[in-house]
Amino acid sequence: MDGAFNFMMIFDIFIAVYLLYYAIKGSGKAYENDYPEEMQAAHRKLLRTFCWITGAPLLVLSILEYMSTEGIRSPWSIVSIIYILACVVAYFIIFRVKFKEYLRNPRKNLPKR
């Protein structure tokens, strides 16, 4: 069972590196979507900010968690899990609030053919 927890800790490090890669790059698969053109730039900026805010601390927390001798019972594990959940929930709340006019009636905001 300990091997699975070690795998998850290493996987968290890869996720953090992935987030930082897309935060630095600012383009790629993570930024592709079918949102209307009017909100594309604002969404890219929000996603890039999210990648920075989530990726850097997650990398530090994941490395501390991996280096801990207590394994999954370390305080870094609990902080890491809470941090990831808080970031994801905050992103969805901010996204809903910021783009509510586009989400309410997406067909109205699509460009006409």
Side-chain angles (χ1 to χ4, degrees), residues 8-27:
M8 288 306 297
M9 290 179 213
I10 293 171
F11 188 66
D12 280 348
I13 293 171
F14 284 121
I15 290 172
V17 170
Y18 178 79
L19 287 169
L20 289 174
Y21 170 74
Y22 276 112
I24 292 167
K25 186 176 177 188
S27 63

Side-chain angles (χ1 to χ4, degrees), residues 82-101:
I82 292 170
Y83 182 73
I84 292 169
L85 292 174
C87 285
V88 170
V89 169
Y91 176 79
F92 282 114
I93 291 171
I94 292 168
F95 181 82
R96 290 268 181 194
V97 168
K98 188 169 184 166
F99 301 115
K100 66 182 172 188
E101 67 274 359

